[in-house]
Amino acid sequence: MYFTSTRAAKNVTAAQAVAQGISEDGGLFVPSEFPEIDAETLNKLINMSYKERAKKVLSYYLNDYTEAEIDHCVECAYSGNFDNDIPAPLTSLNDNMHILELWHGPTCAFKDMALQILPHLLTTAAAKVSPDEEKVILVATSGDTGKAALEGFADVPNTKIIVFYPVDGVSAMQKLQMTTQKGSNVAVCAIEGNFDDAQTGVKNIFSDADMQKFLSESKKAFSSANSINFGRLVPQIIYYVSAYCDLVKDGRIKIGDKINVVVPTGNFGNILAAVYARNMGIPIAKFICASNRNKILTDFISTGEYNRNREFYQTTSPSMDILISSNLERMLYHLYDNDAQIISSLMKDLKEKGSYKVSDDVLAKLQKEFFGGFCDDKDCAATIKNLFDEYHYLCDTHTAVAVNVYQQYKNATGDTTPCVIASTASPYKFASAVLPALSDNGCDDEFAMLARLSEVSGTPIPAPLANLHDKKVIHTKCVNKTEMSDFIKNFLK
Ligand SMILES: *Cc1c(COP(=O)(O)O)cnc(C)c1O
């Protein structure tokens, strides 16, 4: 197996794809084929630990990493960094709603599942591909990736990490998590604009000739910790495989039974990882793509037209406030049977006109596998309350969007296939929206809210959030999006 770009024919190894992050042509790296988990292997995986499952899944893709290297990466990432022995536990609410909790890591959101291991995958790759270069990790964040990447890369030798976040587009907790980050190799900067501005700015800097010259003169090279990096995606496949194994192990399904998955979606990375798990043989029937009021994906799945010329809304699920869903490019590449030319022209349309339309044929294929739905802030809050009243289960705003869209799907289709619902953040990370959904708010201090939420719900405050209270704010800079390059150069000098 090798990796190719979604926009040009090429062959790179897994290590090259991970080290580089994004292809020079602006395309994203995708595997040339999907390895198959055969029945015998799946049987074995069922009785394995998360770490053993992780090693197996990674070894399918990272075929130029040695077994010892993969073992090392997995051990470093998933031993002791999560508040639970099982990094991704499954909580069954009833026979067909199984919540896959992906937020037991150090930053309380699902990004940790991949970003605890990515620094190890990346430094291993860089040592193979370009041992003399220092890696500069450039991140655009809608809130959660930034902190998870900082946590993963802080003080990692031979790397620097620079995070840009939209100044008014992240929650108070998310902001505090990032602005208090320690580490001799980290920089954090707010930008005036929304997440798409940050993401587009970062993508442009990646291919900026001037910046390339500056970097190569100082023996540095960029890489990405966003889900455009294949090294972010592959660890996300693990938890879908693992959830399927757990359902079998717990006697909820029999091996071979189909499941559905519901994913609260922004950049399409998490749901794409579920598609990859299916492509490897995990029996997933439907991918339910849940959006908030920024429902560009819902519209795309229903019409085949992707159109970002629309109003951008700030919602109570800010990690999904996105209009340019990067990983959809990978999905389209697979749906178009690996036709890089068509993908290049669609992405050109997106850049120049802000929209593109897929063929009827591709739309039909998409609709066969995907259900798209959305829910606004009011329904999101009502879902948090209902879930708590009915099951005594407290979920965050992103997860609530997923649960709401799942209920819409079930009402529309009557489908009762067991469903894995990706729970992407701790409710405490978005306490200012979760608390008022449950009770009269009555406090405006963020930390008082955490305490009140704990009191109302009878659940503990995650330590990494409680501890923020005493941390000092270190990073206060805010720049215009045209000043991002200068900020980078200044930091790297
Ligand atoms: C990043 C994030 C999402 C969206 O995931 P994508 O992979 O970008 O689709 C959803 N919920 C939370 C809490 C997140 O941090």
Side-chain angles (χ1 to χ4, degrees):
M1 185 203 301
Y2 57 92
F3 290 80
T4 183
S5 162
T6 49
R7 298 191 197 174
K10 75 190 316 171
N11 283 355
V12 301
T13 67
Q16 284 171 316
V18 172
Q20 216 175 308
I22 185 167
S23 182
E24 304 88 9
D25 48 64
L28 309 185
F29 289 117
V30 282
S32 60
E33 61 191 302
F34 286 98
E36 197 190 321
I37 304 177
D38 57 38
E40 195 193 326
T41 309
L42 187 58
N43 257 310
K44 283 191 197 145
L45 286 172
I46 288 164
N47 294 308
M48 287 183 183
S49 68
Y50 192 85
K51 282 195 280 188
E52 289 169 315
R53 290 170 183 167
K55 288 174 190 174
K56 186 70 204 157
V57 172
L58 294 175
S59 66
Y60 280 116
Y61 289 96
L62 306 179
N63 52 10
D64 59 339
Y65 287 58
T66 65
E67 198 180 323
E69 285 169 342
I70 291 179
D71 281 5
H72 174 76
C73 292
V74 167
E75 291 298 332
C76 289
Y78 302 120
S79 311
N81 305 338
F82 289 75
D83 71 3
N84 197 310
D85 289 343
I86 312 162
L90 204 55
T91 300
S92 296
L93 298 185
N94 58 30
D95 285 345
N96 47 36
M97 278 166 79
H98 307 284
I99 309 278
L100 178 58
E101 292 180 355
L102 301 171
W103 41 263
H104 290 277
T107 76
C108 307
F110 95 93
K111 306 298 197 291
D112 289 326
M113 299 304 303
L115 283 162
Q116 280 295 299
I117 194 167
L118 183 67
H120 304 289
L121 296 178
L122 199 123
T123 47
T124 307
K128 289 177 192 291
V129 177
S130 50
D132 307 328
E133 261 172 15
E134 183 181 48
K135 283 284 172 203
V136 179
I137 315 301
L138 215 50
V139 180
T141 184
S142 57
D144 291 328
T145 295
K147 177 60 179 180
L150 287 164
E151 196 65 36
F153 280 98
D155 294 323
V156 170
N158 215 22
T159 67
K160 289 213 159 52
I161 172 160
I162 306 173
V163 171
F164 292 102
Y165 68 93
V167 66
D168 295 318
V170 300
S171 80
M173 274 295 153
Q174 288 175 318
K175 189 179 229 162
L176 209 51
Q177 280 186 311
M178 292 187 280
T179 55
T180 58
Q181 178 69 43
K182 286 191 186 147
S184 56
N185 63 339
V186 310
V188 177
C189 183
I191 69 150
E192 291 156 11
N194 60 35
F195 170 70
D196 291 310
D197 295 318
Q199 177 162 255
T200 305
V202 161
K203 275 193 188 165
N204 290 342
I205 289 168
F206 262 98
S207 48
D208 181 272
D210 214 43
M211 185 62 93
Q212 285 306 332
K213 188 159 163 278
F214 171 83
L215 287 179
S216 61
E217 281 168 5
S218 51
K219 284 205 167 277
K220 292 181 173 58
F222 284 138
S223 188
S224 170
N226 283 100
S227 52
I228 52 178
N229 192 326
F230 188 77
R232 256 288 292 277
L233 271 185
V234 63
Q236 297 181 180
I237 302 171
I238 302 163
Y239 50 73
Y240 289 107
V241 173
S242 181
Y244 190 84
C245 291
D246 284 344
L247 286 173
V248 174
K249 198 172 179 176
D250 297 348
R252 299 274 175 184
I253 58 171
K254 288 193 301 300
I255 198 159
D257 285 354
K258 285 201 186 305
I259 60 166
N260 292 336
V261 298
V262 191
V263 186
T265 297
N267 235 340
F268 213 78
N270 200 1
I271 198 166
L272 185 72
V275 174
Y276 281 13
R278 191 279 315 272
N279 292 355
M280 296 172 76
I282 300 299
I284 301 174
K286 274 273 176 196
F287 303 94
I288 300 166
C289 176
S291 302
N292 63 26
R293 196 176 170 202
N294 295 297
K295 59 180 186 57
I296 191 161
L297 288 167
T298 313
D299 294 343
F300 175 64
I301 293 167
S302 78
T303 65
E305 188 190 36
Y306 193 92
N307 191 343
R308 62 161 300 205
N309 302 311
R310 59 173 71 209
E311 203 170 329
F312 174 88
Y313 300 106
Q314 282 190 341
T315 73
T316 54
S317 44
S319 303
M320 293 151 64
D321 290 347
I322 291 176
L323 293 181
I324 303 176
S325 211
S326 294
N327 276 290
L328 190 58
E329 176 168 349
R330 286 188 167 107
M331 190 67 226
L332 293 172
Y333 179 81
H334 302 306
L335 288 169
Y336 272 104
D337 298 322
N338 306 354
D339 190 329
Q341 223 170 351
I342 294 185
I343 302 309
S344 298
S345 96
L346 293 177
M347 292 305 126
K348 192 160 166 268
D349 285 350
L350 181 62
K351 192 165 184 182
E352 286 167 8
K353 293 188 289 192
S355 70
Y356 61 78
K357 195 166 189 335
V358 298
S359 68
D360 291 348
D361 195 33
V362 160
L363 179 60
K365 277 204 248 178
L366 184 75
Q367 288 175 339
K368 213 168 135 222
E369 304 186 336
F370 283 85
F371 175 89
F374 75 101
C375 129
D376 65 15
D377 285 353
K378 193 165 147 275
D379 288 342
C380 172
T383 305
I384 291 172
K385 171 119 179 72
N386 289 341
L387 213 59
F388 189 73
D389 289 347
E390 199 169 339
Y391 301 102
H392 212 75
Y393 186 81
L394 184 67
C395 76
D396 93 297
T397 46
H398 304 77
T399 309
V401 167
V403 169
N404 183 287
V405 171
Y406 168 66
Q407 285 160 345
Q408 293 178 35
Y409 170 78
K410 212 171 141 196
N411 291 341
T413 61
D415 186 358
T416 56
T417 303
C419 194
V420 167
I421 300 175
S423 175
T424 49
S426 157
Y428 288 90
K429 203 161 184 182
F430 300 95
S432 56
V434 173
L435 181 59
L438 289 188
S439 78
D440 291 337
N441 188 344
C443 38
D444 45 30
D445 168 65
E446 198 68 24
F447 291 95
M449 272 185 217
L450 296 187
R452 179 96 180 99
L453 186 58
S454 177
E455 206 177 280
V456 172
S457 69
T459 59
I461 306 173
L465 298 179
N467 295 344
L468 280 177
H469 189 258
D470 303 318
K471 295 216 165 131
K472 204 171 141 242
V473 171
I474 307 171
H475 309 278
T476 52
K477 186 115 182 148
C478 179
V479 304
N480 185 284
K481 56 188 170 183
T482 58
E483 299 164 336
M484 291 165 73
S485 288
D486 289 339
F487 178 85
I488 294 170
K489 286 182 181 165
N490 268 332
F491 174 65
L492 295 179
K493 255 184 206 148

